[in-house]
Amino acid sequence: MGKDGSIFLGNPQNLKRDGYYKSEGGNVDYDPAYECTGGSTEPADKRCPFQLKTPDAMDQSLTGWEGRLLHINLPSYRDPLCPRTLKYLFTKAKRPFDIRVRVLQQNVPSEDPPCLEKYCEMMADLRRETGGGGTSKGGPAGDDCPHRDQVYIHPIHAKEAAGPTYARGLLGQDIREAYEKNELSTQDFCMSTDSHMDFEPEWDQKMVDMWDLAVNEYAVLSTYVANIDQLGKNLNGSHEVPHLCMVVFTSQVRTHATKCAHNLSKPKLTNVVWGAGLSFSKCHAELKVPVDPHTPGVFDGEEFNRAARFWTYGYDIYTPHRVYVLHDYPGSQHNPKTTGWGHGDFSPAQVKNAHYRLNTMLDVPGGERDYDKALQLKKSKYGLGDRRSLDDLIQFSGIDLRHKKVTIDGKNRCGNLQWVPFTENPKGVNYIPKFDEDEQPLDVPYEKTSVWYDPHVDGAGAGLVSRRVKIEKEDPAEVEIRRVAEEAAHDAHKKEAEKLAGSSLHEDHKALAAALEAEGGGSGGHDSQESDHREVISNAAAAALKAEQMDRDGVKFFPPLLRGKPGGIPKGRFFFSPVKLSKHGVENLPIQVKLSVFAMVLGICFAIIASGGDKRKRRANSKKSG
């Protein structure tokens, strides 16, 4: 093992099986310098990430968090561990008075304990046990509930829940409102995590110090954090940390085969693979790349979609080199209430169109095939950034999004990587792009450093030339080659969707179908060092399957980019009308099918009556002639 640690690339046999035929697997030494040099010794080849500049520091220090706040987002679905998380969060912090917490509380009020009130009770109990004092002892005597005014509860009823992206999207809107009220600065720190966590002592200071070690103003620390039984332990005696670097294609792009790293000297640059369980950055990242709330019922696909948006905005994902925030996997996943969000308020049509939206964003087969409509979505508020291109992302990540393959070249990108340069926005790192009420960009015409810049449009002035004008006429032969390739990819996707909707389901979908059949729920597991992410089995995936079934039954849904006003992109999770299907019984068929059946039967009756009349006439004529 090198002085800066090592990275586990994977089991050689598993890598070959999964298509990484150019990877030997095993362990490699971590080389932090490679992130700037790419292995070159030429000074001219050294290109390192951007650091904070004094004009952008807003009169604060260039490093550390003196004068800054730490804002934490906690989505909570009927979680009895939420109060305990607040308790640990504050009592184990070094600077508890500089923390602000926003909780999206999705409860059944008559059944679930309120997070903040139970936290206050826990702090009172701690105060009685210790005699009171600082936050770590429950606060001073006479303080009814320490830090209560630093916690904001956003309550909604559990029946209105629509999955993790919807929950995180609402918290993103709360962050935006705080920014507009000057309660949050772009130079503050923001962290998103879950409501069933524990923390190392002085975790807040340690997270900030670790972020500083990335030496990148656009750094986002993220991983699937370790279980709480590792609290206070040096895992395997080598500071082992989970390392995300691979995906698998299910209904979407799903993080897969978690690797690990040992004794890293600093956070390690990853290939655009991000985990929702822990995300730590400056708040300008949260404000520029808010979670897309228009994807109800989505589980697979949430993480890579946001990772791609982060990266194209100029942000880089790093694996933390130490574990300071831990996840209570058993306590959260063995509780049937906390895994029930999948039975929330969303329809198969909404899930189908959420996947359609995500596919369109990343050029994954199954999205919008009209170039202009797809581009409109990519440029929208919850679309891609304009600092790096999607083509650049595919090359850097090594993931073949356009053909649903885990690798474009058989190479393993879990090891040392070189940072991909980009041009910063001329308005600075703190500038937050503006969008209108339809989520369309207001920062037009695009300036020349934007990947969306079109010299025929933006060079002529806003509104003078249509954005549909192409830069140059393409070679017809190349257009035809691309068309044939896209047709093949879409046909392959359609066959795969039909297969998924039939009997040969993905293993998780099989488990899901069985669980739904029994009207129950369950949770995924992990088998090895390469798969340490537990998943929630809900009816979100089943809703997607139902949508495919409805397609086969002739019930059509208008794609989201084609509904509403011409050329517009719909917003909100209540945009689509739900169409419900039952398993058996004509009375349970959709009204569209009932009307079709009624019309068909009526037509057959008229045909029989008409046919009978013709026969009687022929018999009468025959008798007369006889």
Side-chain angles (χ1 to χ4, degrees), residues 69 176-185 188:
L69 297 175
R176 179 72 189 209
E177 289 178 9
Y179 167 70
E180 292 173 349
K181 294 177 182 177
N182 293 320
E183 297 171 354
L184 176 149
S185 165
D188 287 345

Side-chain angles (χ1 to χ4, degrees), residues 4-173:
D4 293 300
S6 66
I7 310 154
F8 176 64
L9 302 181
N11 180 288
Q13 292 181 338
N14 292 346
L15 291 172
K16 296 293 189 299
R17 177 200 65 199
D18 294 338
Y20 300 95
Y21 55 89
K22 292 185 180 180
S23 175
E24 297 300 324
N27 292 278
V28 296
D29 289 344
Y30 172 48
D31 180 7
Y34 190 94
E35 294 174 3
C36 290
T37 66
S40 173
T41 58
E42 295 294 328
D45 293 334
K46 186 175 181 178
R47 294 173 295 181
C48 295
F50 295 106
Q51 299 181 50
L52 182 63
K53 303 177 183 67
T54 299
D56 292 326
M58 303 175 69
D59 298 324
Q60 297 178 16
S61 61
L62 296 180
T63 59
W65 70 319
E66 193 64 41
R68 294 180 170 94
L69 297 175
L70 171 55
H71 301 264
I72 301 173
N73 285 348
L74 295 179
S76 174
Y77 182 84
R78 308 193 68 183
D79 191 353
L81 301 180
C82 180
R84 190 188 72 179
T85 298
L86 288 181
K87 174 187 172 183
Y88 290 158
L89 185 155
F90 283 114
T91 59
K92 297 186 179 184
K94 183 177 182 179
R95 295 172 52 173
F97 289 93
D98 292 328
I99 294 175
R100 302 292 183 269
V101 185
R102 292 170 180 82
V103 180
L104 184 74
Q105 181 173 275
Q106 304 162 97
N107 277 0
V108 176
S110 61
E111 300 178 15
D112 304 318
C115 185
L116 183 57
E117 284 72 8
K118 291 297 292 184
Y119 155 76
C120 292
E121 293 177 12
M122 288 181 174
M123 293 298 280
D125 291 341
L126 180 60
R127 209 159 45 245
R128 282 190 293 270
E129 294 170 4
T130 63
T135 299
S136 63
K137 295 184 177 181
D143 189 341
D144 179 53
C145 184
H147 309 292
R148 181 181 190 129
D149 60 349
Q150 296 168 228
V151 180
Y152 168 71
I153 302 293
H154 182 159
I156 67 172
H157 199 285
K159 67 182 180 182
E160 298 176 6
T165 55
Y166 179 68
R168 285 188 248 275
L170 290 181
L171 286 170
Q173 293 173 11

Side-chain angles (χ1 to χ4, degrees), residues 57-333:
M58 303 175 69
D59 298 324
Q60 297 178 16
S61 61
L62 296 180
T63 59
W65 70 319
E66 193 64 41
R68 294 180 170 94
L69 297 175
L70 171 55
H71 301 264
I72 301 173
N73 285 348
L74 295 179
S76 174
Y77 182 84
R78 308 193 68 183
D79 191 353
L81 301 180
C82 180
R84 190 188 72 179
T85 298
L86 288 181
K87 174 187 172 183
Y88 290 158
L89 185 155
F90 283 114
T91 59
K92 297 186 179 184
K94 183 177 182 179
R95 295 172 52 173
F97 289 93
D98 292 328
I99 294 175
R100 302 292 183 269
V101 185
R102 292 170 180 82
V103 180
L104 184 74
Q105 181 173 275
Q106 304 162 97
N107 277 0
V108 176
S110 61
E111 300 178 15
D112 304 318
C115 185
L116 183 57
E117 284 72 8
K118 291 297 292 184
Y119 155 76
C120 292
E121 293 177 12
M122 288 181 174
M123 293 298 280
D125 291 341
L126 180 60
R127 209 159 45 245
R128 282 190 293 270
E129 294 170 4
T130 63
T135 299
S136 63
K137 295 184 177 181
D143 189 341
D144 179 53
C145 184
H147 309 292
R148 181 181 190 129
D149 60 349
Q150 296 168 228
V151 180
Y152 168 71
I153 302 293
H154 182 159
I156 67 172
H157 199 285
K159 67 182 180 182
E160 298 176 6
T165 55
Y166 179 68
R168 285 188 248 275
L170 290 181
L171 286 170
Q173 293 173 11
D174 294 337
I175 284 283
R176 179 72 189 209
E177 289 178 9
Y179 167 70
E180 292 173 349
K181 294 177 182 177
N182 293 320
E183 297 171 354
L184 176 149
S185 165
T186 53
Q187 279 298 308
D188 287 345
F189 288 99
C190 280
M191 184 174 88
S192 295
T193 188
D194 293 327
S195 58
H196 28 264
M197 312 300 284
D198 202 346
F199 306 84
E200 292 284 350
E202 300 189 354
W203 65 272
D204 51 341
Q205 185 66 56
K206 292 175 180 177
M207 289 297 297
V208 172
D209 292 344
M210 180 163 57
W211 184 89
D212 276 339
L213 285 176
V215 196
N216 184 347
E217 178 66 12
Y218 294 84
V220 180
L221 305 181
S222 182
T223 190
Y224 290 156
V225 298
N227 190 45
I228 57 171
D229 61 2
Q230 302 301 323
L231 185 67
K233 297 180 181 179
N234 178 358
L235 186 58
N236 291 331
S238 60
H239 294 292
E240 181 178 300
V241 293
H243 175 44
L244 309 182
C245 55
M246 288 186 175
V247 301
V248 66
F249 285 93
T250 58
S251 56
Q252 283 294 320
V253 190
R254 169 185 165 189
T255 305
H256 171 69
T258 304
K259 301 298 182 288
C260 60
H262 304 88
N263 287 326
L264 296 179
S265 59
K266 64 180 290 291
K268 182 206 169 298
L269 182 66
T270 75
N271 60 328
V272 203
V273 183
W274 176 86
L278 176 67
S279 183
F280 188 96
S281 65
K282 286 284 186 69
C283 287
H284 52 70
E286 283 288 329
L287 290 164
K288 288 181 197 173
V289 192
V291 174
D292 186 350
H294 306 317
T295 51
V298 166
F299 193 79
D300 284 6
E302 169 202 5
E303 294 175 321
F304 194 79
N305 172 268
R306 196 171 191 215
R309 293 171 56 225
F310 270 132
W311 198 80
T312 53
Y313 267 100
Y315 292 94
D316 298 290
I317 315 300
Y318 287 81
T319 291
H321 74 297
R322 295 291 183 270
V323 176
Y324 301 130
V325 180
L326 300 99
H327 191 290
D328 188 345
Y329 289 105
S332 61
Q333 296 192 343

